[in-house]
Amino acid sequence: STKPTISALFCSSPPMLATVLPRCARGYATKAVSTVYANSWMPLLRPHGVEERHVLQTYGPIITNERKEKIERVIANKILPFSMVLEGLYDIGNIAAAVRSAEGFGLHHFHVVNCHKMKQNKNSRASAGAERWMDLSFWDQSDDCFRQLRARGFRIAIADCGPDAISVHDLDWSIPTAVVVGNEFRGLSPEVRAAADVRLTIPMRGFVQSFNVSVASAVIMHTASRAILAKGYPGPSAEESLAMRAEFYARVSIPASPESDGALYAQRILEAHSRLAPGR
């Protein structure tokens, strides 16, 4: 069957992927946060008023026990007090590769800021479908993104080679942190640099003093995830686990139809959530 490519999902305007679940849409931070998740690292807005139990009751019976067990293992391994932000990237392949690494390392939140001038690559498969399982947010401005992250308890760290940068191995990862990586050529914008709470760097031992964007992101995610787990991170709370369980059940149960493109795939999920809404 034909599924929407990462390129189609990211490069449409607005991004198709941003409509797959309403809480991934632009401007999400301006909406009211549900009371249940007000102090959570993943404050969910129930799409169309749908409660998680309705999603689980509807899709649970048609999901195999093997798939349910896999979903539970993934949820238990999620690392929520850590997020990645990509700012102004040009090559969509780098974004797709970073999303794939993030999903593999157990991250759930991923932010893409001001990446409207990306190189189009309709055949990019670097994400390997990881975008289906991530909480992706798209932003026009970095300050809007940072405002939401700080409201959720995150500090902003930037990947930088400056003399005052802290080694990625020495940073205190017990503090919820969102790491920002910048454009392949220009690096981070002045606005992002000015907004940073901390600067971090990856120690280099060769003549070349920088990694590819997706490689640098993967190194940071690997280091951070290991450090967070070593500090005794207990895993997602019961409420956070319930929210992800409902989300994954919906995503597993609504595959893209053979004739679909990204827009139709997204619309089917929205319609399914709408049918589940109480009183509809």
Side-chain angles (χ1 to χ4, degrees), residues 20-60:
V20 170
L21 289 176
R23 67 189 180 84
C24 294
R26 297 178 186 220
Y28 158 66
T30 64
K31 299 178 183 178
V33 174
S34 107
T35 303
V36 175
Y37 303 103
N39 297 315
S40 167
W41 284 310
M42 51 179 300
L44 299 184
L45 295 173
R46 294 187 171 116
H48 300 287
V50 178
E51 293 186 5
E52 288 86 351
R53 61 187 178 87
H54 292 114
V55 177
L56 299 177
Q57 289 170 1
T58 299
Y59 296 134

Side-chain angles (χ1 to χ4, degrees), residues 23 57 61 65 75 83 97 108 136 162 165-166 180-181 205 226 234 240 250 272 277:
R23 67 189 180 84
Q57 289 170 1
N65 289 333
I75 291 174
S83 181
H108 193 61
L136 292 160
I166 302 171
V180 190
V181 177
R205 296 182 174 86
R226 283 174 58 89
E240 292 161 344

Side-chain angles (χ1 to χ4, degrees), residues 185-220:
F185 308 105
R186 301 184 305 274
L188 294 163
S189 67
E191 295 79 12
V192 168
R193 290 182 179 278
D197 299 311
V198 64
R199 301 169 185 267
L200 63 85
T201 187
I202 302 172
M204 306 289 293
R205 296 182 174 86
F207 290 107
V208 177
Q209 291 299 298
S210 65
F211 285 117
N212 167 275
V213 169
S214 61
V215 173
S217 298
V219 170
I220 293 170

